[in-house]
Amino acid sequence: MTAPLMLGDHAVRPPVVLAPMAGITNVAFRRLCREQGGGVYVCEMITTRALVERIPKTLKMITFAEDEGFRSLQLYGVDPDVTAAAVRMVGEDNLADHIDLNFGCPVPKVTRRGGGSALPWRRRLFGRIVSQAVAAAKPFGIPLTIKMRKGIDDDHLTYVDAGLAAQEAGVAAVALHARTAEQRYSGKADWDAIATLKQALDVPVLGNGDIWEGSDALRMVEHTGCDGVVVGRGCLGRPWLFADLEAAFTRGAAYQPVLPTLGEVSKILARHAQLLVEALEDEKHGCADFRKHVAWYLKGFPVGGDLRRSLAMISSLAELDDLLAKLDPSIPFPADALGQPRGRVNAPGRVTLPHGWLDSRDDETVPEGAETDESGG
Ligand SMILES: Cc1cc2nc3c(=O)[nH]c(=O)nc-3n(C[C@H](O)[C@H](O)[C@H](O)COP(=O)(O)O)c2cc1C
């Protein structure tokens, strides 16, 4: 059994984190994943300004189930004061037990303004955001972590500097999505960079990027020495990956993945839709939100185009049940879908930055208009 990941005083067993994914990791999806195995299950990203302004939609997104023992919340901010105010609010209103700060978003709308993955380049501003956030979290005993990318591109890497600055500021751990912003989600994550960061830091390092199976998590730990893994796209349409990860960390290389038949997958599909309807308190909205998951669940299964399309257009749970009844429950899990990328795999693209952004690393001006609901990491 691998050592637990320590986030402050909290021991995470197995050392697995569900990556925050906008539009995905809401209370319904987290429950589905939590039922499979241990770990930390991070809520969808919340922008600090919307939080301090108490925008109702934002507050609603911070919904945790009663049995979520370690409520984990990701915040995104570019202003040290607003970020600290948001962290204080999380503590005062008892909204979460852990806060992660997102510095990984590669979306052009965000980097163009100097936010997301562009921000660590401005090292003083980055340091101020993190240290003010840590200070604001401290009185409440909330461990604060950061999640970042390697840098803007291969010529503008920031992860070691940013990791050291975050450590000095007092973070509980640092997570690295081992791609540059330029790479977006393309190519392979550079696990060597995770190893480099692990060598450079004393605080726990979390590795992120391209864990598709339990065996990948073991390989990442072996390769990098990281203290825990962050899993994003690999669990899209596959919440049982968390059972695999738990088995892998408990039994080591001897573990065997348990692969569901199409009948078992369709039960999980139905439950996911039901949980979304409950979470959104509306059958139509729940079903609409569910549609994006269908293709991920069915990836690799021999299911005809018409049925796939109909499933991806459901507007009621009864309709979903009727369609699921048409699937052959005995079909085994498609082995060729294993170890394959899923979810976003878009092409690399030059990172759009504010004019003159790269010329000064020490400018502390807070970028304007860089806080939007666009997210990614
Ligand atoms: C649909 C989607 C939404 C995402 N939203 C966020 C986000 O809000 N915050 C964040 O830090 N990362 C976000 N990410 C990035 C993931 O957390 C993760 O870093 C990335 O997918 C790499 O890990 P993976 O290879 O396991 O998918 C998102 C990724 C996807 C695919």
Side-chain angles (χ1 to χ4, degrees), residues 74-78 83 100-106 115-120 125-127 129-130 145-149 376-377:
Q74 189 186 52
L75 295 179
Y76 166 70
V78 296
T83 305
D100 182 52
L101 294 184
N102 179 7
F103 294 101
C105 182
S117 50
L119 201 138
L125 177 63
F126 171 82
I129 295 173
V130 180
T145 58
I146 64 152
K147 180 166 175 285
M148 61 182 175
R149 287 191 177 231

Side-chain angles (χ1 to χ4, degrees), residues 18-25 42-46 74-76 100-106 147-149 176-179 184-185 189 207-212 220 230-236 296 342-345 373-377:
L18 163 66
M21 286 184 284
I24 310 284
T25 58
V42 189
C43 180
E44 293 174 276
M45 186 196 92
I46 304 291
Q74 189 186 52
L75 295 179
Y76 166 70
D100 182 52
L101 294 184
N102 179 7
F103 294 101
C105 182
K147 180 166 175 285
M148 61 182 175
R149 287 191 177 231
L176 178 64
H177 176 191
R179 285 186 171 82
R184 312 254 166 97
Y185 293 87
N208 175 225
D210 299 351
I211 290 178
W212 311 111
M220 181 190 272
V230 182
V231 179
R233 294 164 299 163
C235 68
L236 296 175
W296 292 323
R342 47 181 54 230
R344 293 178 185 171
V345 281
D373 282 337
E374 296 285 328
S375 54

Side-chain angles (χ1 to χ4, degrees), residues 248-263:
F249 279 112
T250 310
R251 284 182 235 137
Y255 100 98
Q256 285 293 323
V258 181
L259 300 173
T261 60
L262 186 52

Side-chain angles (χ1 to χ4, degrees), residues 124-197:
R124 291 166 89 114
L125 177 63
F126 171 82
R128 273 185 55 209
I129 295 173
V130 180
S131 48
Q132 284 190 220
V134 169
K138 202 165 180 187
F140 303 98
I142 297 176
L144 191 127
T145 58
I146 64 152
K147 180 166 175 285
M148 61 182 175
R149 287 191 177 231
K150 280 171 63 186
I152 291 173
D153 54 34
D154 285 343
D155 295 327
H156 302 90
L157 297 176
T158 48
Y159 67 102
V160 175
D161 280 359
L164 288 167
Q167 173 171 284
E168 196 174 318
V171 297
V174 172
L176 178 64
H177 176 191
R179 285 186 171 82
T180 60
E182 182 182 44
Q183 281 181 286
R184 312 254 166 97
Y185 293 87
S186 69
K188 283 212 160 176
D190 170 13
W191 289 4
D192 288 347
I194 300 170
T196 302
L197 188 65

Side-chain angles (χ1 to χ4, degrees), residues 1-2 14 16 36-38 214-215 218 240-258:
M1 180 88 179
T2 318
V16 170
Q36 299 286 334
S215 52
L218 296 185
W240 58 87
L241 179 58
F242 291 98
D244 263 18
L245 288 160
E246 171 133 6
F249 279 112
T250 310
R251 284 182 235 137
Y255 100 98
Q256 285 293 323
V258 181

Side-chain angles (χ1 to χ4, degrees), residues 240 260-263 265 297-304 308 331-334 337:
W240 58 87
T261 60
L262 186 52
V265 170
Y297 277 109
L298 296 181
K299 191 174 159 82
F301 278 109
V303 174
R308 276 173 194 271
I331 294 178
F333 193 85

